[in-house]
Amino acid sequence: MAAAAVSSASGLLAMLTEEQAELKLHALVNLNSLVHLFWPEISTSVPTIESLYEDEEFDQRQLAALVVSKVFYYLGELNDALSYALGAGPLFDVSEDTDYAHTLLAKALDEYAAVRSRPVKPSDEDAKIDPRLEAIVERMLDKCISDGKYQQAMGMAVECRRLDKLEEAITNCDNINSALSYCINLSHQFVNHREYRCEVLRCLVKIYQQLPHPDYLSICQCLMFLHDPETVANILKKLLFGSKEDALLAFQIAFDLVENENQAFLLSVRNILAPTPSVNPEAPADAPDVVGGDVPMVDESSNEPNGSAEVDPAEVLQAERLSKIRGILSGETPIKLTLQFLYSHNRSDLLILKTIKQSVEMRNSVCHSATICANAIMHAGTTVDTFLRENLDWLSRATNWAKFSATAGLGVIHKGHLQQGRSLMAPYLPQSGGVGAGSPYSEGGALYALGLIHANHGEGIKQFLRESLRNTTAEVIQHGACLGLGLAALGTADEQIYDDIKNVLYGDSAVAGEAAGIGMGLLMAGTGSEKANEMLSYAHDTQHEKIIRGLSLGTALTVYGREEDADTLIEQMTRDQDPILRYGGMYALGLAYRGTANNKAIHQLLHFAVSDVSDDVRRTAVLALGFVLYSEPEQTPRIVSLLSESYNPHVRYGAAMAVGISCAGTGLSEAISLLEPLTSDVVDFVRQGALIAMAMVMIQTNEACDSRVGAFRRQLEKIILDKHEDAMSKMGAILASGILDAGGRNVTIRLLSKNKHDRLTAVIGLAVFSQFWYWYPLIYFLSLTFSPTAFVGLNYDLKVPKFDFMSHAKPSLFDYPKASTPQATTTAVRQPTAILSTFAKAKARAAKKEAEKEKAASGGGSAEKVASPSEGAAKTAEKPEKDKEKESDAMQVDNPAEKKPEPEPTFQILMNPARVVPSQEKYIKFLEGCRYVPVKLAPSGFVLLRDLQPSEPEVFTLTDAPAAVSSNPSATVPASQSQQASSAMAVDEEPLPPQPFEYSP
Amino acid sequence: MDPQLREVAQLFERFKAAFVRKDFNTCATLLTQLKVLLTKFPSLPPSFQPTPNASEELTIARQIYEHAVVLSVKIEDQEAFERDFSQLKPYYTDTCNIIPPSPEEYPILGLNLLRLLVQNRIAEFHTELELLPPTALENPCIKHAVELEQSFMEGAYNRIFNARQAVPHETYVYFMDLLAKTVRDEIAGCSEKAYDYLTTNDAQKMFMFSSDQELSQYISEEHPEWEIRDGCVFFQKAKESQPWKEIPSFQLINQTLSYARELERIV
């Protein structure tokens, strides 16, 4: 008997209309099993089955519901399918392994999550949720937990806002610590709602605290996000009073917290830890002692009993530890170490600056001050001001606002030089008694510079800046003081400072008022304070566009990171009649939703980018996309790619900057591809933006990683040398060269800390930096975004011991870019002469031969040459090869690869402290059997090291540097410094004898 | 023999007896009992489990449903006819390699075709027709229905009226009567569109009524909106009740303009 198959469900459907319940039931049962085959047929009879479901007397209503649900599922009507599946009750099997069950479960979860996350009052929220839906979701969650799929369960619980289930999943997990860190990631990446994220984190902290061995590093990160300084202080206290290892951990926590740059939070933690206010002024004085006199310190900690007899040794120990941690939390220790690192590892290439200087026309003040800026950025935080000292005459051409900028540039160079900052700037600062010798421009610039030096760590300088602000009536000085105060007291919401700045604002002077607006914003950054409304209303009153612009940016800064809280303010600003306020609204949107990749914000920004009538607003809307998206840099090029082809140059400019902001420091290939065509745009300011953005993206990427970096450097040089290039793009190129080599090639632009927290200072700095469109001195805010790419291992005494670790990658991949060679003069002369390609080829051949000969003679050469054979070749065959490269692009050099005599080593041993660029981090490995073991396995940043052989004497590196730094820099530059700084340009003439650096008024 | 099967067979015998007696009420009650019993056979559609008694069960089930169809015609219940027929159909389409074809198959299929024609469901009629094998078209029952449909489409309505005399099966008479009415409705629909008015004589001829009374009765029952005055039938009202469909010009203009605006905005 051959097996038969049904060809139609019409018979069964007909049976549904029979009178008898048995027949209907029979039909339903059969339909349920055949629905996957005959749903098209059944779909026409759905109303019949639905009426069965609604028939109160029919005892198999649930079965009917199930059949209808399946039909709807096949029809793609998931909403209906879900509501009927809920009607089916227990007949809907959660564990069934079918597409139907999977799809509907997913749908149910979505639905449930959507209902749970709808912002309604908690009272009627519970009533709204369908209990059947809840039951299904709970069944699902329980199943996941019992099956051991904890990550799924956690994700679902977070999505559905079921913290109870989240807790259950985590506590049931075998590896609680990894589960918790997974959850923290989850909450930062996928939880968009700020309040809810706080709830999740609070829940996580609660679980953490119940553990026998809590992971304090993570707890404190969470607590910082929750803004709970008290608990952090308590944890730190507990650890400090514990064993030596606990103390190490406490230091590590402190360093990690400092890295997130939340000044207000750090201040409160510090105050709780050490409530006596008298300690604060003492601390800065202490710090140099700790470093300078290391011997007594070691004695004290190792030989406790030998300490003074009267004082309890434990107390001494605690006091010492407390002062250390205060040093860290106040930022003094990390900043000092950073300064030492940047100073000792400075590899900036003065020749580039020299080339720029020579090619820039004297009368072109834009390029002149751009060059000064580029110098400042290149040496940001290194305290190396050789270039300025060598070119005092040239520098003195800066007048008026250019002088303001030039003076402020010193602040960038000496950024973080907290102790000597004020004495360094002393010659330029306004003299308290009577009229100073300097012009108001340099005085204002000096105040601004002080702010930059003390950015986000302004405890010591606030008072001085306030006095300067009060004692002056010159608007230029007020301008500088307002910016300086804003920087120094970033995000502290200090009422007194606010009032001082407000007085300046109410003076209604355009220049001072603009800075006051920004200053107020900086002061209130991220507080979401009520002051924003006050600022907005003044913006409506005043006539000065500059003031309105300053205020609207300031208002935007106040809502930094407030997400939903800021919606009313954003709404108010974006609906304003005044385009300048709408423009501020764009910044507010970008900053409030910084790094969240929030869909709503992106949507709004894109809308403004194409629909607003003002070009300024459109440009800013696109630019602000960069802020929203910096946590997912891969997304940005895709989102703005269409905008970058817009007919409107402002939109193109915005697109370039958005990519620059969000992909800063990533060297992302897509970003570079997007920016490349824009660097040769027809409009000059688009070129400028694209060049700057490109430099931001490529910072710390060398040619070995991406060949386009080399091409870009050559392009910059070409633009700078080209006499006919527009001033705008020339300025862009000059700045770009500065950014590419920022901070002595040891810093990158980083908007997220290593713990994936947003770096408030950096984001705010970048936002203000993007204002340079209107006001060039604001370029210096870029220095706030710089973060040293260093691994600094520290021992218990917070000093840098000798410690080796490994980078498991080719050294050339992450090496410093090679220093340029002096050939600018020759090319400048030779460039116009036409050279026939045959001649060029012949020349090239000759060059090649010569190079090979040289190679053979030197027999492989030293290790350095091995690492960079092309460089070696370039040096030996210097002139001809360079010329060839310059003059005929057709003659691409393709020989370096084939000439490589030996394979490059695949790893590199790095010495503490070492430069570790972000892309290198994944290759960092710690060696086994070392004397020191890191407390936290972090590939970069400050890492505390546990000493396994505490009895043996320690060898330190970086010990001599502070002496050099702390010596008065306005006096002779130490020999070591000039050697180090000029090692790259040994061919250059001897540095001029340094003189006190002053401007003639 | 399986006790269940025996029970069904006995019940079916009683049903047939009542059917012969034309005791249709008893038939209906017996039929429902039979149907409920049939659900217990696993060998029946849609499961088709190859049980040992499968062929007997299938055969008897088919017979029962065939009788059910005929019964529904006798009691003039079209819904029941449709229901029973669709339950019977799987036996014809899906069991051909299990049990031999039934002698009643073509008459019943023809009956169904006729029903579809009566209900003016021409599309389904053709679907059914396509499903039949080419040889089936030779069968007088099927041929009858096909010819009727052709006449119906051609508008040769008198042929349909005449065909009533030549039915291949006595059960067909019921549907033939109904068909006459369907034809009349069709004619009425066409005349409405085609004429403003008709004289009663012409109308009577056209609707194939033998007297004026029949015509006026038909009009009052089926088309009360028609008007009989001055010896003519006026269709005016019916026409007016069908308004012209307007072109939604404003909506279209708005749409086009908004597209244009969107296009301009595209960057």
Side-chain angles (χ1 to χ4, degrees):
Chain A
M1 191 195 296
V6 231
S7 58
S8 156
S10 57
L12 291 167
L13 290 173
M15 215 181 261
L16 283 176
T17 51
E18 294 274 5
E19 303 276 310
Q20 280 68 36
E22 291 96 324
L23 288 179
K24 289 180 187 174
L25 180 58
H26 176 73
L28 274 180
V29 170
N30 282 309
L31 281 177
N32 184 29
S33 58
L34 290 171
V35 72
H36 59 286
L37 293 174
F38 296 115
W39 57 269
E41 262 183 284
I42 302 172
S43 65
T44 54
S45 314
V46 158
T48 326
I49 312 177
E50 277 175 338
S51 63
L52 277 181
Y53 168 61
E54 278 146 25
D55 183 0
E56 297 288 334
E57 288 164 27
F58 185 59
D59 58 350
Q60 286 296 331
R61 298 173 50 204
Q62 296 187 328
L63 185 60
L66 186 64
V67 175
V68 178
S69 162
K70 284 186 180 173
V71 173
F72 275 128
Y73 158 71
Y74 285 113
L75 289 173
E77 299 285 341
L78 290 184
N79 284 325
D80 291 325
L82 181 61
S83 69
Y84 279 103
L86 292 178
L91 286 182
F92 176 61
D93 185 3
V94 188
S95 53
E96 199 178 283
D97 188 32
T98 57
D99 287 347
Y100 164 73
H102 293 317
T103 316
L104 278 200
L105 275 178
K107 177 76 191 164
L109 282 173
D110 283 352
E111 191 83 355
Y112 184 69
V115 175
R116 293 279 301 184
S117 52
R118 209 172 292 150
V120 271
K121 283 168 227 126
S123 53
D124 54 21
E125 186 182 24
D126 287 28
K128 259 187 180 171
I129 291 179
D130 190 339
R132 300 172 302 178
L133 190 61
E134 190 144 41
I136 286 197
V137 173
E138 279 182 13
R139 250 192 288 167
M140 232 1 242
L141 283 169
D142 291 339
K143 202 185 125 230
C144 278
I145 293 175
S146 62
D147 288 1
K149 294 174 186 160
Y150 298 110
Q151 295 203 341
Q152 272 184 27
M154 285 184 263
M156 260 157 52
V158 168
E159 184 93 333
C160 298
R161 311 207 161 195
R162 288 296 298 267
L163 295 183
D164 51 333
K165 289 283 167 192
L166 180 66
E167 206 176 327
E168 191 184 326
I170 295 176
T171 42
N172 281 341
C173 196
D174 333 304
N175 188 349
I176 294 191
N177 274 326
S178 75
L180 282 169
S181 60
Y182 175 79
C183 271
I184 291 176
N185 257 340
L186 209 65
S187 64
H188 283 296
Q189 279 181 334
F190 298 107
V191 181
N192 283 330
H193 198 262
R194 185 184 153 91
E195 266 172 54
Y196 176 56
R197 195 186 306 147
C198 288
E199 269 176 55
V200 174
L201 290 177
R202 230 168 271 142
C203 168
L204 292 180
V205 169
K206 202 177 82 196
I207 303 172
Y208 263 130
Q209 283 167 342
Q210 289 161 356
L211 295 182
H213 302 291
D215 176 0
Y216 287 115
L217 283 171
S218 309
I219 297 186
C220 290
Q221 292 294 332
C222 288
L223 287 171
M224 196 203 80
F225 187 85
L226 294 171
H227 205 90
D228 186 355
E230 226 154 290
T231 324
V232 173
N234 285 339
I235 292 178
L236 286 179
K237 232 179 227 167
K238 202 175 108 194
L239 288 174
L240 282 179
F241 297 160
S243 69
K244 196 168 171 181
E245 272 175 31
D246 283 347
L248 275 181
L249 187 61
F251 295 154
Q252 181 70 56
I253 290 173
F255 273 116
D256 283 3
L257 291 178
V258 169
E259 203 207 353
N260 297 323
E261 298 185 341
N262 193 334
Q263 186 176 203
F265 178 77
L266 293 174
L267 275 180
S268 28
V269 172
R270 194 158 54 115
N271 289 340
I272 296 168
L273 268 183
T276 43
S278 61
V279 181
N280 281 349
E282 185 190 313
D286 269 1
D289 288 358
V290 172
V291 179
D294 46 297
V295 184
M297 288 292 296
V298 175
D299 279 354
E300 209 169 69
S301 54
S302 52
N303 312 327
E304 280 157 30
N306 295 357
S308 49
E310 304 89 40
V311 191
D312 181 13
E315 241 170 63
V316 173
L317 188 69
Q318 280 169 18
E320 175 223 326
R321 283 176 180 174
L322 265 180
S323 78
K324 272 186 203 165
I325 206 154
R326 248 194 341 258
I328 302 172
L329 287 174
S330 67
E332 279 150 20
T333 316
I335 287 179
K336 197 173 68 222
L337 288 165
T338 307
L339 204 62
Q340 285 169 8
F341 169 77
L342 288 179
Y343 168 72
S344 61
H345 284 67
N346 176 26
R347 289 285 294 269
S348 61
D349 193 346
L350 283 181
L351 205 64
I352 295 179
L353 278 173
K354 213 177 152 206
T355 318
I356 296 175
K357 196 197 102 189
Q358 280 167 355
S359 62
V360 165
E361 278 178 65
M362 286 300 183
R363 276 163 304 167
N364 192 338
S365 68
V366 172
C367 292
H368 184 264
S369 49
T371 313
I372 298 173
C373 276
N375 169 54
I377 291 170
M378 259 189 201
H379 294 106
T382 59
T383 70
V384 175
D385 47 11
T386 331
F387 180 75
L388 295 180
R389 288 172 193 288
E390 282 171 11
N391 300 291
L392 285 175
D393 279 351
W394 173 80
L395 196 60
S396 64
R397 280 171 212 275
T399 51
N400 296 344
W401 283 109
K403 183 182 276 180
F404 177 89
S405 302
T407 321
L410 281 178
V412 175
I413 295 177
H414 292 285
K415 180 169 172 277
H417 212 153
L418 299 189
Q419 279 91 48
Q420 265 86 37
R422 202 167 143 192
S423 55
L424 268 170
M425 298 310 295
Y428 317 106
L429 287 171
Q431 307 301 318
S432 45
V435 186
S439 79
Y441 289 103
S442 65
E443 290 177 4
L447 291 174
Y448 179 25
L450 274 183
L452 288 166
I453 292 174
H454 292 266
N456 208 13
H457 299 283
E459 279 301 288
I461 202 76
K462 271 194 312 205
Q463 204 51 40
F464 173 75
L465 285 171
R466 274 179 68 195
E467 275 161 20
S468 312
L469 181 62
R470 270 193 241 131
N471 292 341
T472 184
T473 48
E475 54 176 19
V476 179
I477 301 180
Q478 283 178 336
H479 184 95
C482 284
L483 289 178
L485 264 178
L487 279 165
L490 189 72
T492 52
D494 189 318
E495 287 288 331
Q496 290 169 313
I497 300 179
Y498 181 80
D499 289 339
D500 283 345
I501 302 183
K502 202 164 73 181
N503 287 336
V504 176
L505 178 70
Y506 287 162
D508 209 41
S509 124
V511 172
E514 183 186 30
I518 297 176
M520 286 158 103
L522 290 170
L523 190 63
M524 293 290 162
T527 57
S529 134
E530 286 299 308
K531 300 282 196 292
N533 291 323
E534 201 178 301
M535 290 160 74
L536 268 190
S537 65
Y538 189 78
H540 281 121
D541 290 344
T542 184
Q543 297 294 314
H544 294 291
E545 269 195 19
K546 269 175 167 280
I547 299 184
I548 302 176
R549 189 174 301 122
L551 282 170
S552 76
L553 178 70
T555 320
L557 295 179
T558 61
V559 296
Y560 164 87
R562 305 302 294 188
E563 298 180 27
E564 289 86 358
D565 294 354
D567 281 352
T568 23
L569 187 79
I570 293 172
E571 185 78 15
Q572 207 181 333
M573 291 178 84
T574 51
R575 295 217 168 165
D576 205 283
Q577 291 282 311
D578 189 346
I580 304 179
L581 283 179
R582 287 207 301 279
Y583 152 92
M586 296 305 111
Y587 271 111
L589 248 176
L591 290 174
Y593 290 95
R594 86 279 169 269
T596 56
N598 184 303
N599 270 335
K600 200 186 81 193
I602 295 174
H603 190 90
Q604 263 182 299
L605 285 173
L606 283 175
H607 176 76
F608 281 109
V610 295
S611 65
D612 203 280
V613 285
S614 157
D615 277 339
D616 289 342
V617 179
R618 294 176 70 163
R619 185 184 65 232
T620 323
V622 185
L623 187 146
L625 278 175
F627 286 108
V628 178
L629 285 166
Y630 66 74
S631 60
E632 289 170 30
E634 307 80 23
Q635 298 284 344
T636 322
R638 198 174 52 80
I639 288 180
V640 301
S641 66
L642 267 181
L643 293 167
S644 74
E645 289 161 19
S646 164
Y647 72 92
N648 184 332
H650 289 268
V651 173
R652 291 205 296 274
Y653 176 90
M657 288 307 277
V659 172
I661 290 166
S662 63
C663 306
T666 58
L668 205 68
S669 171
E670 293 86 31
I672 297 175
S673 319
L674 186 130
L675 289 172
E676 240 173 1
L678 289 175
T679 56
S680 43
D681 200 273
V682 285
V683 180
D684 51 0
F685 66 79
V686 179
R687 285 202 295 277
Q688 182 192 53
L691 290 172
I692 291 174
M694 186 77 114
M696 286 163 72
V697 174
M698 282 181 173
I699 188 169
Q700 288 221 328
T701 314
N702 69 8
E703 208 168 345
C705 266
D706 194 330
S707 61
R708 287 177 291 188
V709 179
F712 181 61
R713 280 183 186 274
R714 285 189 287 279
Q715 186 188 6
L716 287 180
E717 197 179 0
K718 195 170 148 258
I719 293 175
I720 292 168
L721 292 176
D722 187 351
K723 288 257 186 303
H724 306 291
E725 191 65 51
D726 286 301
M728 284 283 258
S729 50
K730 218 170 201 175
M731 174 195 160
I734 294 171
L735 283 179
S737 346
I739 297 169
L740 262 186
D741 293 331
R745 292 178 168 165
N746 283 315
V747 300
T748 186
I749 298 175
R750 220 196 295 246
L751 297 179
L752 283 173
S753 71
K754 276 158 222 122
N755 306 310
K756 302 286 173 217
H757 281 283
D758 305 285
R759 291 178 64 215
L760 177 136
T761 327
V763 178
I764 298 265
L766 207 50
V768 184
F769 162 73
S770 60
Q771 287 286 303
F772 78 87
W773 175 275
Y774 297 104
W775 194 231
Y776 289 149
L778 296 179
I779 289 172
Y780 292 123
F781 272 80
L782 187 65
S783 67
L784 301 193
T785 65
F786 293 149
S787 146
T789 49
F791 175 92
V792 183
L794 297 171
N795 68 357
Y796 173 74
D797 299 316
L798 304 185
K799 267 174 279 156
V800 187
K802 202 168 162 338
F803 170 68
D804 288 349
F805 58 100
M806 190 168 71
S807 156
H808 200 82
K810 285 183 191 166
S812 73
L813 273 181
F814 306 110
D815 209 5
Y816 290 104
K818 60 189 178 193
S820 56
T821 42
Q823 34 81 41
T825 45
T826 54
T827 45
V829 179
R830 282 212 196 167
Q831 208 163 22
T833 57
I835 289 179
L836 291 176
S837 62
T838 47
F839 175 61
K841 270 181 198 161
K843 219 167 162 189
R845 234 174 283 133
K848 213 191 258 180
K849 250 183 220 157
E850 200 182 331
E852 267 157 17
K853 237 181 267 168
E854 282 283 335
K855 262 273 120 64
S858 65
S862 64
E864 195 186 320
K865 269 188 185 162
V866 175
S868 51
S870 61
E871 189 186 339
K875 268 182 189 154
T876 48
E878 209 168 272
K879 288 269 164 64
E881 198 156 74
K882 280 289 167 187
D883 285 352
K884 175 188 66 181
E885 242 175 71
K886 274 276 145 216
E887 287 158 16
S888 64
D889 275 356
M891 285 302 304
Q892 282 296 329
V893 200
D894 54 351
N895 42 8
E898 47 195 70
K899 275 204 282 185
K900 196 173 264 185
E902 268 173 48
E904 203 184 336
T906 54
F907 65 93
Q908 185 183 18
I909 300 293
L910 298 173
M911 284 245 295
N912 180 31
R915 174 187 192 253
V916 176
V917 300
S919 49
Q920 193 178 4
E921 284 174 9
K922 51 180 178 286
Y923 299 108
I924 296 297
K925 287 200 179 68
F926 296 104
L927 301 169
E928 299 266 332
C930 225
R931 177 173 169 184
Y932 297 98
V933 178
V935 170
K936 173 187 154 191
L937 287 174
S940 70
F942 295 105
V943 176
L944 267 295
L945 301 171
R946 199 166 63 225
D947 193 351
L948 297 181
Q949 297 150 336
S951 49
E952 284 175 38
E954 294 181 286
V955 185
F956 298 113
T957 53
L958 266 194
T959 40
D960 53 335
V965 172
S966 56
S967 74
N968 190 359
S970 61
T972 29
V973 176
S976 66
Q977 182 183 338
S978 66
Q979 264 171 18
Q980 235 160 347
S982 56
S983 62
M985 41 150 212
V987 273
D988 215 4
E989 70 265 73
E990 274 294 306
L992 292 174
Q995 290 155 4
F997 169 40
E998 262 177 68
Y999 296 117
S1000 49
Chain B
M1 201 186 220
D2 187 62
Q4 265 188 346
L5 188 56
R6 200 178 306 131
E7 191 189 344
V8 171
Q10 281 168 0
L11 218 53
F12 186 46
E13 286 307 317
R14 282 171 55 200
F15 171 85
K16 278 198 272 196
F19 189 76
V20 173
R21 287 200 312 275
K22 302 211 175 189
D23 181 359
F24 296 135
N25 284 336
T26 323
C27 284
T29 40
L30 284 173
L31 183 64
T32 46
Q33 287 174 22
L34 278 170
K35 279 185 183 169
V36 173
L37 284 174
L38 283 182
T39 59
K40 304 212 171 74
F41 291 155
S43 60
L44 301 189
S47 30
F48 287 121
Q49 282 175 24
T51 52
N53 296 324
S55 57
E56 288 89 359
E57 285 169 6
L58 281 171
T59 320
I60 199 164
R62 188 173 66 187
Q63 277 178 0
I64 290 169
Y65 279 115
E66 279 170 352
H67 277 84
V69 169
V70 178
L71 177 72
S72 65
V73 176
K74 298 272 186 204
I75 56 176
E76 304 192 348
D77 184 347
Q78 288 192 42
E79 276 178 35
F81 178 91
E82 189 176 353
R83 199 162 60 221
D84 291 328
F85 177 76
S86 33
Q87 290 178 53
L88 171 62
K89 213 174 156 221
Y91 294 92
Y92 290 149
T93 51
D94 305 333
T95 62
C96 28
N97 39 17
I98 306 177
I99 50 172
S102 152
E104 293 295 310
E105 181 170 347
Y106 287 120
I108 285 181
L109 285 179
L111 208 54
N112 183 47
L113 288 175
L114 207 55
R115 172 186 65 96
L116 291 173
L117 213 50
V118 166
Q119 293 170 343
N120 215 351
R121 286 151 70 173
I122 304 299
E124 283 169 71
F125 177 90
H126 283 282
T127 318
E128 290 292 322
L129 209 56
E130 288 303 316
L131 289 173
L132 292 174
T135 48
L137 295 179
E138 299 302 313
N139 186 289
C141 297
I142 307 292
K143 210 172 174 184
H144 179 74
V146 172
E147 277 169 3
L148 278 178
E149 192 262 353
Q150 276 166 1
S151 319
F152 193 57
M153 291 295 111
E154 284 165 15
Y157 295 135
N158 53 341
R159 255 193 272 160
I160 297 174
F161 284 99
N162 297 335
R164 192 179 179 279
Q165 273 74 49
V167 286
H169 199 274
E170 34 108 24
T171 45
Y172 281 41
V173 177
Y174 164 63
F175 282 119
M176 290 307 292
D177 288 341
L178 290 176
L179 188 59
K181 193 175 164 299
T182 312
V183 167
R184 250 181 222 121
D185 287 342
E186 197 74 0
I187 297 173
C190 294
S191 334
E192 238 175 24
K193 292 273 177 331
Y195 304 101
D196 289 344
Y197 65 92
L198 273 177
T199 61
T200 14
N201 269 346
D202 292 341
Q204 185 191 330
K205 220 182 273 171
M206 199 166 276
F207 289 114
M208 285 172 272
F209 285 120
S210 43
S211 66
D212 274 1
Q213 283 78 32
E214 275 179 300
L215 176 66
S216 48
Q217 192 192 346
Y218 172 77
I219 289 174
S220 59
E221 274 173 18
E222 299 290 325
H223 297 280
E225 75 273 16
W226 294 359
E227 206 179 345
I228 306 176
R229 117 175 96 84
D230 312 336
C232 293
V233 182
F234 287 90
F235 307 110
Q236 214 60 33
K237 273 192 198 162
K239 267 189 191 164
E240 278 165 9
S241 65
Q242 295 248 317
W244 286 101
K245 270 192 189 158
E246 253 187 75
I247 299 169
S249 31
F250 269 108
Q251 195 192 333
L252 285 177
I253 292 169
N254 270 334
Q255 228 161 40
T256 321
L257 281 179
S258 76
Y259 285 151
R261 218 174 301 131
E262 292 285 317
L263 267 179
E264 245 172 37
R265 260 190 214 167
I266 292 175
V267 283

